[in-house]
Amino acid sequence: MMRKRNLIWASFVTMVLVMLTACQGKKSKTGGFFGASGQPLEMVAVLPDGYDTPALRDSIRVAFSYPMQILPQEEALVKVMMTGESNFTQMFKAMRNVLYITIDKEMYTKPSIGISRDQFADGQLLIHARAESLESIYVLLRQRGAYLAELIHLEEVKRLSVPFETTYSSHVARLAEETFGNWSINVSNNFEYTNTAEDFLWASDQGQKGRTDFMLYSYPYTGAESLTADAIIAARDSVLKTNVPGQYEGSYMTTEKRVPPVVRQFELYDLKQIELRGLWAMVGDMMGGPYVLHAAVDAPNNRVMVAEMSVYNPGGKKKHLMLYAESQLYGLRPKDVPYAPLP
């Protein structure tokens, strides 16, 4: 059990290292030879000299205490480190996510947020928070902290999705194409166990702790009402009751209804897609955890395709497992469409 868990985390760390060293050996966009460093969902905040106070540090911590949606136990989405402007050395300049605060009453008349990339290292997101006064920075952090945390979240998903263009489970991709005919997806090689049924594919790393499951399934499309959260959850519960039994007789996977899902719409591969985040539970058992799914319409076949990741890690942290899991869902596409990492 422990060996399996270690292998899962080793694969995650390997993925991160591959991304961080992707630009080694070639000239970088920033003129150096290194990529951005640090762990996913880490950020360094650079405080202006003369304003590095406990109050400002506390304000930054509060602003970025926004939790990842939706987890059984709350986990802050972004881990924040801090340094003063005069101590913003090369070690910090190489960080993957940077919040740079500037206060200058001669230059600025109101607070603003600016975004730049690759300024000090390849693959870096640099957030500029600018204002004419410390009080305006406090207001800016209160108003935009949750937005900025989600911005970093999406940036990490983009970073982690890149390697799946070339390194993925060809076995799962083949099963997806065989089961659904004209759809494919690129997911991790960690999914060693697979099982298929009619209009259903299940792949799992089979870990008892730190376990991730991938499912691909479909249900009939009858119009726009088929893509509402209620319709997706109803189809999900029906499919999982049939195909995902628990360890006890009569037990099966379902959706935890006491926690409303978080819904997001986006477009990828010229397809409008729906993302749902929620919690799953086992009927007849004491298991549960978070899930995230993407649903897209397969118009030629009058069906909705759903790719889903669920995580089970009782008593343990789930944030990074979910981040790595959700980054794989963006490969859901018709099989004749090339994989495209998020822009």
Side-chain angles (χ1 to χ4, degrees), residues 159-209:
R159 289 168 177 146
L160 289 173
S161 72
V162 171
F164 292 113
E165 182 175 12
T166 56
T167 304
Y168 60 92
S169 172
S170 58
H171 175 59
V172 171
R174 178 178 58 81
L175 288 178
E177 293 176 10
E178 290 176 355
T179 305
F180 297 96
N182 63 333
W183 282 74
S184 189
I185 190 166
N186 296 20
V187 298
S188 169
N189 285 312
N190 290 344
F191 295 114
E192 299 173 356
Y193 172 83
T194 57
N195 188 28
T196 59
E198 183 177 359
D199 295 326
F200 183 78
L201 167 61
W202 179 17
S204 175
D205 57 38
Q206 288 289 281
Q208 295 302 307
K209 293 185 72 67

Side-chain angles (χ1 to χ4, degrees), residues 47 51-62 134 138 141:
L47 284 61
Y51 294 93
D52 186 353
T53 65
L56 179 55
R57 289 179 175 243
D58 287 343
S59 294
I60 295 169
R61 290 190 187 96
V62 170
L134 181 59
Y138 289 149
L141 290 171

Side-chain angles (χ1 to χ4, degrees), residues 120-136:
F120 301 110
D122 283 351
Q124 181 183 71
L125 173 69
L126 183 59
I127 302 168
H128 302 270
R130 309 180 180 102
E132 80 289 357
S133 68
L134 181 59
E135 289 71 22
S136 288

Side-chain angles (χ1 to χ4, degrees), residues 246-260:
Q247 60 179 327
Y248 302 113
E249 184 176 354
S251 62
Y252 56 89
M253 193 177 198
T254 191
T255 306
E256 174 56 73
K257 306 299 192 305
R258 291 172 295 181
V259 178

